[in-house]
Every structure is written in C-alpha cells, then in structure tokens.
Amino acid sequence: MVTLRDVARSAGVSPKTVSRVVNDDPAVTPETRELVRKEIERLNYVPNLAARMMRTATSEVVGLMTDVVATTPYSVEIVRGVQSALRKEGRTLLIANTEGDRQIEAGYWRTFRSHKVGAAIVATMFHREYDVSPEGFDKPLVMVNCFAADNRFDTVLPDDEEGGYTQAKHLLQLGHRRIGVVSLHEAIRATGLRHRGMLRAFAEAGANFDESLLERGAVGPFPDETFVAYEAAKRLLSRPDRPTAIICGNDMLAVQIYAAASEHGLTVPDDLSVIGFDDLPIFSAILRPRLTTVALPYFRMGEMAVDLIAGMKSFAGRPAKQHLVECPLVVRESCRPLA
Amino acid sequence: MVTLRDVARSAGVSPKTVSRVVNDDPAVTPETRELVRKEIERLNYVPNLAARMMRTATSEVVGLMTDVVATTPYSVEIVRGVQSALRKEGRTLLIANTEGDRQIEAGYWRTFRSHKVGAAIVATMFHREYDVSPEGFDKPLVMVNCFAADNRFDTVLPDDEEGGYTQAKHLLQLGHRRIGVVSLHEAIRATGLRHRGMLRAFAEAGANFDESLLERGAVGPFPDETFVAYEAAKRLLSRPDRPTAIICGNDMLAVQIYAAASEHGLTVPDDLSVIGFDDLPIFSAILRPRLTTVALPYFRMGEMAVDLIAGMKSFAGRPAKQHLVECPLVVRESCRPLA
DNA sequence: TTGTATGCGTTATCAC
DNA sequence: GTGATAACGCATACAA
C-alpha cells in the first residue's frame, strides 16, 4: 500500500505538502503541485479514508435513515434521487431501514456516529410529521417527505396542496363541473392538503364543489383496505347525476375506478374522465387508456435533499426551512374535454 | 467524544480490556465484562470505526453493487433481505446503483476498496448472466439473481425451473389439461427454465402440452411492451378449444389476462383459472379474485447472500457454488378445480 | 486474566 | 510556501 509518506519521499517533499496537494490547499506553488501530482499518478497513490476520517472525524458518507422508504415500490425513487445527486459529488450512501422500529433507529444513529457520516437524510414513506431524535448526531440533517413538529430541520416535502389544485384545475379546464373524488385516508396528511388545493381550484374557476361527490378515506396505509375504492366508485357511478370525472387519491385507486366504470358500461375517457396521483410506472404499464395523473416528485426530492446538505456547509447556522416540491401534471389519455 | 480510554479510566481498567469487551474476546471475566458494559452504556460510548479500520484494514461494511435492483419495485426485496440479515450481524450496507453503466460500476469498486468494505454482493434486476470484474477487490463476493459465466463466485438464484414446474403442477392437480401460457420474453433466462419445469410437470402428470397454446415473449424488460399480453390472451380465449387455465410469466401479465377474460364474458376463476409469477404485493391489492401465483423469493435470496458471506470466513478457499432458492406457491382464489 | 508500549496514515499546529 | 512534530482512537504484540 502506497502512503502519503511514500509519495513525499519519492517527490522529495514533506508529507504535509503532499497532503496539501491532495486536499487542494492553495498554499502550494504550481510547480510543487505539479511535481507531486505526477508522483501520485506514478505510484498510483490512493488516500486512506480511514486515516483521514480519524483525523477529521467526518467522512464523505451520507446516512439515509428511512422507515421503509428504501424498500417500498412507492418511494424508492427518493433513494434513487439521493444517490444520483450524491454520486455527482463523489460521496457515498449508507442506508438504514428502520422498518418503523424506534429501537432499530436508535441503533442506526449509533452506527452513523461511529461511521462518522458527514450528514444524514431522514425519509419516510408517507408524507407526515415525524419525531426524529438523532441522539448525539450533530451533523447536517435534512428531512424528506416528513417534518419535525418544531421544524428544527431543513425539510423537503411534496407540494400536496398544489397537487390537489393541479388535479382539479386540469378537469375544470376541460370543462368538467360534476367531479367526484375518491380520496385517501384522512389520517394521511396529503389528503387534507390536496382537498384544500382542490377547493381553491374550484373557487378560482367560479365552480362549486358538491360535497356529496366526495368519497372519503377510500384507502389507508394498508393495502388490504384498497378494494373499498371500487365500491366507492360504484356508488358514485350509479347516481342519476353521476360525475363526469373522478379525482383519485392515487393511481392504484384509479385502477378500481376503471374497473367500476367498465362494470357500469362506461368507457374511460369518453363517459368518464379519471385523474390519478403518484405517477407510478407500473400503472402506466397496466392501464388502458393510459392514466393522466399528477406525479409525486420523489426523485427530485431526493436530489434536493442532497443539494441542501451541500449548501449547509456554506450557510451554517441559518434557520431551517421547508422546501415544497412541485407535483407536475402528467397528461395521458384518461381525461377528455367535455363537449 | 467518548473514547475507549475514557471508558477504561472511568471503569478503572486498561483500554485493552475495554477493547476486549467491545470485541467479545472471551478472555475477560464475566464481572469485568459486566462492569465495562455498564460503563459503555453510561457514557454512551460508540467505537470509532475509522480508528478500528485503520488498524484492521477492513470494515464491517458490506457493499451492494446493483444495476437497478435497489431502486426498482420488483427487486428491492433483495435489498430488504440483505439489510435485515446484515442488521442481525451488526453490519452495515453501502449501496451502489450503477444504473447499468460500466463506468459508474468501476468507480464504485474503487469506492468499495477505499472504504475497505469487508465483502460485496452483486445483484441484478433480472435473473441473468453478468460479467463482474471487481477490479482489485479481493474480499468475499456473492452474486444474487445473476451469475458469472465461469461460475467463479458463490451465487444465489431463484429456482425458476422449479417455479415453472410448480405453476403447471398446481393447475394439473386441479384437473386442468388445456393450459395456455403467456410467457415472458425469450431473452430472459427465466423463460426457458420455467418452460422446462412446466414440461416436466406435464410429463409427470402423463399429460401433453399443446404447443399451440403457448404465446411467446409477451413481455420483455421494457414496461412499454406489456400490453401485447392482452392481445395474446384474447387470441387464446377466442379459440373454439380455448384453454381452461392460463399460466402467466408474471403477475402484471395476469392483470391483462383478467381484462381479456372479462372482455370475453369469462369469469375468473369459474371459466378460467389464472396463475401468476412474482407475487408482487401491489397485484394482490388490485386484483379480484386475488391472484394465485408463484413467489419470487427475493427477500430470502438477499438474506442468503449475507449468510454465505458470513460462512466464507470459515470456509475460505472452498469452491464457489450455485444456490437455488425455492419459489413457493401462493394459493389465492384465481384457480379452481375442474369439475 | 489483564496491562503497556507501539504504530497504523493522515491532518493540525506551529514553526521556519 | 514549506516542513517537523504531535495527535487522532484503536488493535497488535508482548509482558506481567
């Protein structure tokens, strides 16, 4: 193994000078720098991270603490975003999956500390409040898809309010006025936010939202409850004044709206427009006509978390901030203009 | 920061003794051990991995090199399995996603080396041959869901041959004889293996597989091709001698079989039995009747990879081996006995 | 069973 | 601008 010393000896300078070159310390003459660079190249010297870590008490590793986000189809995109951004900075990712267990989480904070990770990201599967207590962890910390009650950390969240607005606005612009809603469970934070956004879109359009067309809480955090959306949709579609469009709490619900519509002899989008939420690729693959939906920007949120961490070095001590990421409309073929 | 020394001083023993306790060296009296343990707890001491690493030139970190496995709904379960097993051993996971890019992969191997990861796992999204060249990486290496042409590494693979056997056998045992198949793309290794297994089941049952009921290559690695399965199913179902059951290459195809059946006025499972492959939770949530399928044991495969790594310490130098993991039958409601 | 001395490769401090 | 020296926290070898 080639060490700093070897390079120094070979280049005829002191170890410290080599260290300066390696760390881009400006206080080295260009000639010396070039000389050392050559020698590093020639000897194929690779810095020993362990030794460096020991001195600096920090590493270029970022710890990602998640409940199940790293292992769940819905939210792995956060991990991808984090990784993609990290790679560009030459940093690496240590992943911790707590499975929602506080004890496991505590253990992982210890692991993070002993690995001297330089920063941590806390991400959850659902958009929600989360009470982090990173015992003894004093490096930059960013939360993704969740937030601390006291807002003491920088936070990246999907703009669900605006997402709800986007869903409704799209349908309203197409001329729909009787719009049904099959929402997620009320315990999910996104539900209320999106509802507010939707009402705002109605108000802007000078339209009135018929509360009786709202089917509440069709799906909770547990997949088993899912099928109630099918019943909800059937209730909506068997009304004499059935809606011309349905807003779904997520893409999975949309699948059931399709099924219910087909059951009623209705065609999407000719007789019924459907708009989803999430934009999961699997549903684009399955559904025909392809589902118009609003995307949950998980990848972007992951990237943004890394950007924030990078920025924290330069702006240490500034107050924590919530960053809302736009949920873009993805237009496909499941919504059509009302004649 | 609390160090070994602090604990030692506080406990009234030498640093080395504390080191022994931390590393579970048996040569410590139970009383001393307990005393030290208490003090570690009290001071919230966390070992400095950097220092340890510098001495031992290896870490308890395992590197996971994947193409897209860590970020893809279908195969994240491998990562979960790896993590779950790793946590039990108190080891941690460094994740590298190459996105299939060789250059990125090479970079990550360098990262693994400089982090002195103690072992590596290479996993791919699809069951396939994969040409790893872990430049300069000389620690234990296990492959999951993929294998080297020369079989020079320990490998964990799903037993696709047996999976195909299981699918067919289930239907045959229920009395079905006219069985249709909508298979995956032929370029996928699993396709051929499962076909072989299926034929074996037919042979064992003394039945004959009608080659004309095989719809080949309905789906490849790209989700966009998916919808051809719908057409394939329709072809099968419009035959005068239509099959009483259909074997699917995966659960996603089954969704389309359901749709095609409904189109033809056929009910699952009364008029048509359907069996899937993969056992993705999302499809259990969506489909009614719930899909009988054969599970891809990704979680188990991840666990097994870790077990193998652990075993490699004790059996260094033994020849590499392929380990096949059983694909278990998951019976739900989409197949019924033929009257 | 327990303790002491030494050095891993790097960076920080402070001198020149 | 450069270099000598010390220290980071731990495990190894060896001694007691």
Side-chain angles (χ1 to χ4, degrees):
Chain A
M1 151 157 280
V2 183
T3 76
L4 208 62
R5 275 195 141 68
D6 300 327
V7 179
R9 188 168 28 222
S10 167
V13 298
S14 83
K16 180 61 202 174
T17 300
V18 179
S19 172
R20 284 195 176 94
V21 172
V22 170
N23 294 291
D24 283 326
D25 185 326
V28 182
T29 57
E31 302 84 57
T32 318
R33 182 184 305 280
E34 206 37 53
L35 168 70
V36 173
R37 281 252 168 80
K38 280 231 170 61
E39 216 50 31
I40 286 177
E41 186 85 11
R42 199 176 65 78
L43 297 177
N44 195 18
Y45 163 73
V46 179
N48 182 327
L49 291 183
R52 177 177 293 173
M53 217 162 108
M54 195 156 94
R55 279 305 293 174
T56 60
T58 186
S59 75
E60 287 304 293
V61 176
V62 171
L64 177 59
M65 183 78 72
T66 81
D67 48 357
V68 283
V69 100
T71 54
T72 244
Y74 314 96
S75 40
V76 223
E77 287 293 299
I78 295 178
V79 182
R80 275 195 59 221
V82 167
Q83 254 199 341
S84 160
L86 239 33
R87 207 178 56 74
K88 285 176 194 144
E89 301 186 11
R91 309 181 74 170
T92 36
L93 185 60
L94 199 65
I95 292 204
N97 248 285
T98 67
E99 307 284 343
D101 184 321
R102 285 299 182 163
Q103 204 127 18
I104 295 181
E105 179 180 339
Y108 274 128
W109 282 117
R110 245 173 283 129
T111 303
F112 281 8
R113 279 202 289 151
S114 64
H115 278 273
K116 308 234 175 296
V117 310
I121 296 172
V122 176
T124 55
M125 174 169 164
F126 287 104
H127 177 173
R128 63 183 174 103
E129 184 180 323
Y130 185 70
D131 172 33
V132 237
S133 44
E135 303 280 343
F137 184 82
D138 53 358
K139 305 285 176 56
L141 172 50
V142 171
M143 300 182 77
V144 176
N145 215 23
C146 54
F147 56 95
D150 56 5
N151 276 313
R152 89 200 117 116
F153 300 112
D154 272 79
T155 303
V156 181
L157 297 173
D159 193 343
D160 274 301
E161 201 270 351
E162 195 237 358
Y165 173 82
T166 304
Q167 281 185 310
K169 183 170 179 190
H170 182 61
L171 293 175
L172 288 163
Q173 281 185 332
L174 290 175
H176 294 273
R177 285 301 177 271
R178 290 202 59 72
I179 299 178
V181 175
V182 181
S183 74
L184 300 178
H185 197 282
E186 309 220 332
I188 297 176
R189 184 172 135 92
T191 309
L193 292 171
R194 292 186 198 161
H195 188 76
R196 209 159 65 200
M198 181 188 71
L199 292 182
R200 181 159 60 86
F202 269 83
E204 274 186 17
N208 219 347
F209 176 64
D210 181 348
E211 288 283 344
S212 75
L213 292 179
L214 170 60
E215 289 283 347
R216 292 167 186 280
V219 62
F222 309 105
D224 273 357
E225 305 177 16
T226 306
F227 218 57
V228 297
Y230 176 74
E231 301 301 336
K234 287 182 74 169
R235 272 195 299 280
L236 286 174
L237 296 179
S238 48
R239 292 168 61 128
D241 59 344
R242 64 174 168 78
T244 61
I246 293 185
I247 293 175
C248 305
N250 66 32
D251 293 348
M252 190 158 74
L253 296 185
V255 177
Q256 293 169 49
I257 311 299
Y258 272 51
S262 150
E263 189 98 341
H264 281 260
L266 301 174
T267 306
V268 176
D270 295 337
D271 308 313
L272 182 71
S273 290
V274 178
I275 188 165
F277 211 109
D278 286 1
D279 192 31
L280 296 186
I282 190 116
F283 294 110
S284 319
I286 289 175
L287 288 173
R288 290 300 180 281
R290 286 157 59 232
L291 183 67
T292 291
T293 191
V294 169
L296 224 31
Y298 280 156
F299 188 91
R300 182 78 201 88
M301 285 162 64
E303 286 184 319
M304 189 175 268
V306 174
D307 293 350
L308 286 175
I309 284 171
M312 282 164 126
K313 286 171 181 163
S314 21
F315 297 96
R318 80 185 184 319
K321 215 182 131 188
Q322 278 207 6
H323 303 260
L324 295 182
V325 183
E326 185 195 5
C327 301
L329 178 68
V330 181
V331 178
R332 298 207 183 87
E333 296 94 38
S334 66
C335 301
R336 60 147 222 166
L338 217 55
Chain B
M1 151 154 284
V2 182
T3 77
L4 209 60
R5 277 195 140 69
D6 300 328
V7 178
R9 189 169 24 220
S10 165
V13 299
S14 83
K16 179 60 207 174
T17 301
V18 179
S19 171
R20 284 195 176 92
V21 172
V22 170
N23 294 292
D24 283 326
D25 185 327
V28 182
T29 57
E31 302 85 58
T32 317
R33 180 183 307 279
E34 205 38 51
L35 169 70
V36 173
R37 281 252 168 79
K38 279 232 169 61
E39 217 51 30
I40 287 177
E41 185 86 10
R42 199 175 66 78
L43 297 176
N44 196 13
Y45 163 72
V46 180
N48 183 327
L49 258 33
R52 179 180 291 173
M53 223 163 101
M54 199 155 86
R55 293 294 296 159
T56 61
T58 186
S59 74
E60 287 302 295
V61 176
V62 171
L64 178 59
M65 184 79 71
T66 80
D67 49 356
V68 282
V69 98
T71 56
T72 243
Y74 313 95
S75 40
V76 222
E77 287 292 300
I78 296 178
V79 183
R80 275 194 59 220
V82 167
Q83 256 199 340
S84 159
L86 239 33
R87 207 179 55 76
K88 286 176 192 143
E89 299 186 12
R91 308 181 73 169
T92 36
L93 186 58
L94 200 64
I95 292 203
N97 247 284
T98 67
E99 305 285 344
D101 184 321
R102 285 299 183 164
Q103 204 128 17
I104 295 181
E105 179 178 340
Y108 274 128
W109 282 117
R110 247 174 282 128
T111 303
F112 280 10
R113 278 201 293 151
S114 61
H115 279 271
K116 304 206 186 310
V117 311
I121 296 172
V122 175
T124 55
M125 174 169 166
F126 286 104
H127 178 173
R128 63 186 175 102
E129 184 179 324
Y130 185 70
D131 172 33
V132 237
S133 44
E135 304 281 343
F137 184 82
D138 54 357
K139 305 286 176 54
L141 172 51
V142 171
M143 300 182 76
V144 176
N145 215 23
C146 53
F147 56 95
D150 57 5
N151 276 314
R152 88 200 117 116
F153 300 112
D154 272 79
T155 302
V156 181
L157 297 173
D159 193 343
D160 275 301
E161 201 269 351
E162 195 238 359
Y165 173 82
T166 304
Q167 281 186 310
K169 182 170 179 192
H170 182 60
L171 293 174
L172 288 162
Q173 280 185 333
L174 291 174
H176 295 272
R177 285 302 177 271
R178 291 202 58 72
I179 299 178
V181 175
V182 181
S183 74
L184 299 179
H185 197 283
E186 309 221 330
I188 297 177
R189 186 172 134 92
T191 309
L193 292 171
R194 293 186 197 161
H195 188 76
R196 208 158 67 201
M198 182 188 71
L199 292 182
R200 181 160 60 86
F202 268 84
E204 274 186 16
N208 218 348
F209 175 64
D210 181 349
E211 288 282 344
S212 74
L213 292 179
L214 170 60
E215 290 283 347
R216 291 167 186 281
V219 63
F222 308 105
D224 274 356
E225 304 177 18
T226 305
F227 219 56
V228 297
Y230 176 73
E231 301 301 336
K234 286 181 75 168
R235 272 196 298 279
L236 287 174
L237 296 179
S238 48
R239 292 168 61 128
D241 59 343
R242 65 174 167 78
T244 61
I246 293 185
I247 292 176
C248 305
N250 65 30
D251 293 347
M252 191 157 73
L253 297 185
V255 177
Q256 293 169 48
I257 310 300
Y258 273 50
S262 152
E263 191 97 340
H264 282 259
L266 301 174
T267 306
V268 177
D270 295 337
D271 308 312
L272 181 72
S273 290
V274 178
I275 187 165
F277 212 109
D278 286 0
D279 194 30
L280 296 186
I282 191 118
F283 294 110
S284 319
I286 290 176
L287 289 173
R288 291 296 181 283
R290 286 156 59 230
L291 183 68
T292 291
T293 190
V294 169
L296 224 31
Y298 279 156
F299 187 92
R300 182 79 202 88
M301 285 162 64
E303 286 183 318
M304 189 175 266
V306 174
D307 292 350
L308 287 175
I309 284 171
M312 282 164 127
K313 287 171 182 163
S314 21
F315 298 96
R318 80 185 184 319
K321 215 181 131 187
Q322 279 207 4
H323 303 261
L324 294 182
V325 183
E326 184 196 5
C327 300
L329 178 67
V330 181
V331 178
R332 297 207 184 88
E333 295 93 37
S334 67
C335 299
R336 60 148 222 167
L338 217 56

